[in-house]
Amino acid sequence: MNAENAGNLYVTPVAYGGDLALAAFTDRKDMLSEAQKVIDSAELHWLMEERAIGCLPEGAPAPQVLDCHDVLDLRGERLRTPPNRSWKDLSLVPRREFLNWDNCIRSVDVCAYPYSAYSEKEFHGVEHFINFRCGFNPTVFGINTSSLVNWGTNPPDF
């Protein structure tokens, strides 16, 4: 993604030109429509299994918990969020040495469920809805996270 986006961002994997890509949308419904089109794509499943490091296709076993780390590449301290749970104010969640988790997430592990990271407390501000099962370093997208939701089996109504 070469464009800066100060607003909400919704991301899902797609097969594009014979390779794996992440499709980013500013509209939730558009992202979900695209995700529904490719959910049974054999090409996408193959690409995620064979070419993507740290990605798992839909249906493959993946952890149900959302694990976020305070250092790139899944290092450092871990913040674990079980399915259907959330953190409405990460400044109240302690981290090592009298620090907290507000704006400290630097990497995210593979999770079976979609999740949302919000730039403000109480699930306000810019939302980044992540609909892919990959470990990644979210700071590439510029996510500053002050509240977090692991949607589990109950994603929000779109």
Side-chain angles (χ1 to χ4, degrees):
M1 215 168 108
N2 295 326
E4 297 223 5
N5 176 43
N8 297 337
L9 192 62
Y10 308 96
V11 183
T12 194
V14 294
Y16 180 77
D19 213 346
L20 183 65
L22 291 177
F25 298 84
T26 56
D27 181 82
R28 230 183 240 199
K29 290 180 182 179
D30 290 343
M31 182 276 296
L32 286 174
S33 175
E34 185 65 29
Q36 288 298 317
K37 287 180 199 173
V38 299
I39 198 164
D40 294 322
S41 166
E43 179 185 22
L44 179 62
H45 285 244
W46 180 84
L47 286 167
M48 289 185 74
E49 288 176 19
E50 299 297 322
R51 297 229 182 126
I53 297 170
C55 291
L56 297 171
E58 192 65 38
Q64 296 182 352
V65 295
L66 174 64
D67 283 337
C68 301
H69 297 261
D70 61 354
V71 178
L72 293 175
D73 300 323
L74 306 176
R75 294 180 292 127
E77 193 167 339
R78 178 185 70 195
L79 173 66
R80 177 163 275 185
T81 307
N84 305 312
R85 297 288 307 272
S86 62
W87 302 100
K88 65 180 181 178
D89 184 350
L90 288 173
S91 70
L92 301 175
V93 181
R95 196 165 58 97
R96 67 177 171 261
E97 301 173 17
F98 307 105
L99 300 172
N100 64 58
W101 278 94
D102 191 37
N103 292 318
C104 290
I105 294 173
R106 299 294 178 260
S107 55
V108 181
D109 204 355
V110 177
C111 182
Y113 301 118
Y115 62 94
S116 290
Y118 297 88
S119 64
E120 302 295 329
K121 298 170 184 156
E122 305 283 335
F123 318 112
H124 294 290
V126 174
E127 177 190 13
H128 285 200
F129 180 89
I130 310 300
N131 186 44
F132 57 89
R133 297 153 46 96
C134 293
F136 80 117
N137 295 321
T139 51
V140 173
F141 290 110
I143 296 176
N144 287 320
T145 306
S146 292
S147 52
L148 184 68
V149 178
N150 177 348
W151 292 108
T153 57
N154 299 310
D157 291 332
F158 298 105

